[in-house]
Amino acid sequence: MSIPLMANNSLPKVELLSEIERLRKEKNAIILAHYYQDPEIQDLADFVGDSLDLSRKAAATDADVIVFCGVRFMAEVAKILSPEKTVVLPDMEAGCSLEDSCPPEEFAKFRAKYPDHLCLTYINCSAAVKAMSDIIVTSSNAEYIINQLPKNQKIVMAPDRHLGAYLAKKTGREMIFWPGSCIVHERFSEKELIKLKAQHPDAPVTAHPECPEYILRHADHVGSTSSILKFVYENPAEKFLVATEPGILHQMQKSAPHKTFIGAPGADGNCNCNQCPYMALNTIEKLYHCLNKLAPQIEVDEVTRIKALAPLNKMFEMSPTMASNRLPEKSGRAS
Ligand code: 13P
Ligand code: SF4
């Protein structure tokens, strides 16, 4: 069944939601969503998490279909881990500037220059780049994984130079970085953040490690999206300044409704430029259509998949065993 369009060309919301519900059961589908997704998507998802939580969930689910409400590299990870499942993404254009900053052909040349280095690659990259890497990391587990490596191990880190610089400082390791970055986290303004801190001196600053050092140096806490959520939930402060994509404010408000969360500003002081334009491509309408048609589907060629699976499995082996950063409450509809 397809839903008729309304006069203004949009779909009736109530029917849309009930159709998603019906299709989810009919197709034995699970809806996974990242914290940067639209609040409506987060609320109807079966599970909401950071990149590590979502990849664990994708590997463990017994659903036949994974509807991935996030960006393409995240859905690709789900397909690499669960090749027998149908993995769909509401909008195939939902890419990532970090992935774009690291084309596989260029990365292959970079990799070849450092044959005696271990290649730690941030999960925000293509399957082809993962296939050339030794260990995949996320912002949840990177420090923990690096600390298990021998002190004399030479390391290259790709593609996020800001995450790399943060980790090098945190772990005291020398590393060679691929020069990539996230366009969203690079847009925060240090000048505006300093002004905001002066207006709210009691508000701790929490930041994602994809932010440049000139933002991280003002942060009281740096961590993955799950870790940021846990920090604001557990910290006794009443007000927080948050330097990451504003989609995360939704779970903050849900988990601590009595607290105040203020998004860190961009250069003009109050721009909306810190929204991830790729994450924003996914909408409830597109979610319905991809579940209905089971398209667009993520495909990864088998040779690349097998090669990319090895560094992902290495990541799981070297990660903390439990999802230590998750809140005690369930996010999304189910755990
Ligand atoms: P997390 O793994 O912290 O959720 O980060 C994903 C991401 O793309 C941040 O920009
Ligand atoms: Fe990629 Fe940045 Fe968007 Fe995360 S916020 S998906 S790193 S562009």
Side-chain angles (χ1 to χ4, degrees):
M1 166 186 169
S2 67
I3 299 179
L5 291 177
M6 294 199 302
N8 65 2
N9 236 9
S10 64
L11 299 164
K13 185 58 71 58
V14 180
E15 280 183 50
L16 199 55
L17 296 178
S18 73
E19 271 300 285
I20 290 173
E21 200 47 47
R22 184 185 68 74
L23 288 165
R24 175 188 348 232
K25 290 195 190 100
E26 182 187 293
K27 301 191 190 251
N28 187 25
I30 187 171
I31 301 175
L32 304 182
H34 188 265
Y35 292 124
Y36 295 166
Q37 289 290 273
D38 184 273
E40 278 190 322
I41 295 183
Q42 293 190 39
D43 285 347
L44 64 71
D46 295 287
F47 182 83
V48 189
D50 71 5
S51 310
L52 181 63
D53 301 329
L54 289 166
S55 51
R56 281 181 161 143
K57 201 71 185 174
T61 182
D62 56 8
D64 297 317
V65 175
I66 299 174
V67 181
F68 214 112
C69 298
V71 290
R72 201 173 47 237
F73 79 80
M74 296 177 177
E76 226 173 42
V77 167
K79 187 70 184 176
I80 293 166
L81 297 170
S82 295
E84 70 294 350
K85 297 191 191 306
T86 299
V87 180
V88 288
L89 183 66
D91 191 320
M92 211 40 118
E93 297 302 310
C96 169
S97 59
L98 275 168
E99 174 178 348
D100 293 345
S101 72
C102 192
E105 314 72 45
E106 297 303 312
F107 183 69
K109 290 182 211 155
F110 170 80
R111 188 82 188 81
K113 282 204 282 184
Y114 305 103
D116 56 345
H117 286 58
L118 198 74
C119 182
L120 259 57
T121 306
Y122 192 32
I123 198 163
N124 298 38
C125 65
S126 62
V129 166
K130 287 186 178 74
M132 290 182 257
S133 305
D134 295 308
I135 309 173
I136 301 302
V137 297
T138 77
S139 44
S140 265
N141 58 20
E143 186 181 340
Y144 187 86
I145 289 176
I146 293 168
N147 284 335
Q148 293 170 64
L149 302 174
K151 286 273 179 277
N152 59 354
Q153 176 65 60
K154 293 178 181 169
I155 299 171
V156 292
M157 171 96 212
D160 188 354
R161 67 194 164 101
H162 298 307
L163 174 70
Y166 168 74
L167 289 168
K169 194 169 164 194
K170 234 14 239 299
T171 61
R173 304 290 182 116
E174 265 185 44
M175 297 180 195
I176 291 168
F177 307 125
W178 176 269
S181 59
C182 161
I183 53 166
V184 174
H185 289 85
E186 274 195 332
R187 282 195 193 128
F188 293 115
S189 156
E190 181 181 20
K191 197 167 128 224
E192 295 300 325
L193 181 59
I194 291 170
K195 276 197 225 162
L196 198 65
K197 276 182 77 145
Q199 285 165 26
H200 305 282
D202 301 337
V205 178
T206 177
H208 196 281
E210 287 174 17
C211 292
E213 198 279 328
Y214 59 77
I215 295 294
L216 297 182
R217 73 170 80 122
H218 299 285
D220 300 284
H221 168 263
V222 177
S224 69
T225 50
S226 290
S227 164
I228 287 175
L229 277 170
K230 193 162 190 261
F231 173 75
V232 302
Y233 178 76
E234 290 177 347
N235 190 290
E238 291 293 313
K239 201 192 281 174
F240 297 85
L241 307 185
V242 182
T244 192
E245 213 273 358
I248 198 165
L249 301 181
H250 179 58
Q251 295 296 333
M252 290 181 176
Q253 275 144 7
K254 276 175 86 170
S255 69
H258 57 290
K259 297 188 180 181
T260 303
F261 305 105
I262 304 170
D268 76 357
N270 60 359
C271 69
N272 194 23
C273 53
N274 302 115
Q275 190 184 32
C276 174
Y278 307 100
M279 292 275 182
L281 289 173
N282 294 328
T283 61
I284 296 267
E285 284 80 7
K286 290 179 193 169
L287 165 50
Y288 158 72
H289 286 295
C290 82
L291 186 53
N292 190 30
K293 303 254 186 265
L294 293 187
Q297 281 190 29
I298 298 285
E299 301 294 349
V300 180
D301 77 78
E302 192 56 9
V303 174
T304 306
R305 191 189 75 79
I306 297 290
K307 286 189 187 155
L309 183 61
L312 275 166
N313 280 338
K314 196 80 195 153
M315 169 183 86
F316 290 126
E317 267 168 53
M318 297 181 78
S319 292
T321 45
M322 46 179 260
S324 55
N325 278 328
R326 283 192 69 80
L327 293 179
E329 292 91 343
K330 291 173 182 173
S331 294
R333 292 164 14 113
S335 65

